[in-house]
Amino acid sequence: MRILIVEDEVRLADTLQDLLEIEGYTADTRHDGESGLDEALTGIYDVILLDVMLPRLDGFSVLRRLREAGSAVPVLMLTARSEVSDKVQGLDQGADYYLTKPFEPRELLACVRALARRQPELRNTDMLEFGDLKLEKSAFTLSRGERSVRLSRKEFDMMELLMLNRNLVLTKEKLLLKIWGYESDAEDNNVEVYISFLRKKLDHLHSQVKIKTIRMVGYCLEDSASPEK
Ligand code: CA
C-alpha cells in the first residue's frame, strides 16, 4: 500500500514517513500543496495524508481539485488545533477523516488502517482469485490446485495489481510507479523482466491464466480456460 504525505513541516513529514514505513507501508512526501496535488493526481496512492496550511496551495484547495478531477482516494486531513473550526469546510469538500495535531502515532496508524479498509479493492486482500489461480498474501504464494510457487515481493505486488485490475490494461508506467515508486530509477525494462518471471511461474503451475501483452500499451490478465470439463 502506497501513502502520500503532503506536509510542509519537513521534520513531521519525515517522522510520519518513518512511522508508516516501519509498519510496512510505502510512503512518499511532498512539502507544498502544488507538488502534493501533482503527486496525488498520478493515481498511484491508496491513502493521502494532507496538511491544511501548506505553501503554494492550501490543503482544502488540493482536496477540492483532487475531487474535481474525479479522484476518490481516501484523504486524511491533518490540522492544527486552532484550525478545528475548518473541519466542516474540509468534510464538505470530501475529506474522509480528520486528525488534530499533535496526535499519537497509534492514532494515525488506526486512521490509515480504517481508510484502507474503506477501499473495496484493498479489502479481503489476504486471498485474491482469478481464473484457476489463488494469490495468498500471508504466504506470498501463487497457486493452482495442488501446485504452488512462492513469489518475490515485487512479483507478488505485480501479480496483485494485475488481479485487482482484471479486465483492464495496466500500462508499464503505472506498474512502474506502483511497484518501484516515483523516485526510483527503475525503468520499463524492470517491468518486462518481472512479467517474464511471472509468466514462467504461470507455466510452472500449468495455469490457464496468461499475462497478455498489449503492444505499446501494457499488460492484462487473460483467462484462457477452455470449457473442457
Ligand atoms: Ca502546515
Side-chain angles (χ1 to χ4, degrees):
M1 201 169 108
R2 197 167 191 94
I3 299 174
L4 175 65
I5 303 158
V6 190
E7 167 63 71
D8 60 322
E9 290 164 52
V10 176
R11 270 182 59 194
L12 176 59
D14 289 348
T15 306
L16 293 175
Q17 186 178 29
D18 289 346
L19 180 68
L20 291 166
E21 287 182 345
I22 288 167
E23 291 294 309
Y25 301 107
T26 305
D28 297 325
T29 57
R30 286 296 179 272
H31 303 131
D32 70 83
E34 243 169 44
S35 62
L37 177 63
D38 284 348
E39 269 304 287
L41 287 172
T42 60
I44 66 168
Y45 294 98
D46 302 299
V47 170
I48 294 175
L49 309 187
L50 182 60
D51 184 28
V52 172
M53 296 300 286
L54 286 168
R56 299 172 80 90
L57 194 63
D58 69 87
F60 291 129
S61 305
V62 171
L63 179 62
R64 184 168 39 79
R65 294 203 198 168
L66 195 57
R67 294 300 184 232
E68 280 169 3
S71 169
V73 62
V75 173
L76 168 61
M77 302 286 295
L78 307 175
T79 174
R81 242 173 237 296
S82 58
E83 300 156 359
V84 167
S85 60
D86 292 340
K87 278 190 179 184
V88 180
Q89 189 188 350
L91 290 170
D92 284 349
Q93 285 173 353
D96 297 283
Y97 209 89
Y98 261 94
L99 210 50
T100 307
K101 296 182 207 174
F103 44 79
E104 293 287 320
R106 59 199 164 94
E107 216 180 335
L108 175 85
L109 293 172
C111 285
V112 167
R113 281 194 297 271
L115 287 175
R117 273 198 300 273
R118 285 171 53 170
Q119 285 182 288
E121 66 166 33
L122 293 173
R123 248 180 260 151
N124 304 323
T125 44
D126 264 6
M127 167 82 86
L128 280 173
E129 294 185 58
F130 181 83
D132 55 11
L133 292 174
K134 285 189 168 75
L135 182 71
E136 257 179 287
K137 188 158 207 165
S138 46
F140 275 84
T141 55
L142 183 66
S143 57
R144 175 190 163 269
E146 296 295 296
R147 281 176 175 253
S148 93
V149 286
R150 236 183 116 77
L151 301 183
S152 71
R153 180 63 201 250
K154 294 224 180 329
E155 288 171 339
F156 179 90
D157 288 348
M158 194 169 273
M159 198 64 207
E160 184 181 45
L161 272 178
L162 286 164
M163 282 180 148
L164 287 171
N165 294 281
R166 54 191 65 190
N167 310 322
L168 288 178
V169 177
L170 280 174
T171 61
K172 278 186 190 172
E173 191 188 27
K174 183 147 187 176
L175 284 165
L176 205 58
L177 285 175
K178 273 273 193 187
I179 295 167
W180 278 272
Y182 200 68
E183 284 165 64
S184 140
D185 47 8
E187 292 167 13
D188 284 10
N189 191 20
N190 295 52
V191 175
E192 287 161 25
V193 168
Y194 278 88
I195 289 284
S196 77
F197 290 164
L198 280 176
R199 282 183 172 142
K200 285 194 184 113
K201 293 193 168 172
L202 291 176
D203 283 348
H204 173 75
L205 293 171
H206 301 309
S207 173
Q208 301 285 346
V209 174
K210 307 281 176 230
I211 301 173
K212 204 173 152 188
T213 302
I214 313 292
R215 260 186 84 74
M216 313 298 282
V217 185
Y219 302 96
C220 69
L221 285 185
E222 188 178 59
D223 184 6
S224 60
S226 49
E228 57 188 10
K229 273 185 265 180

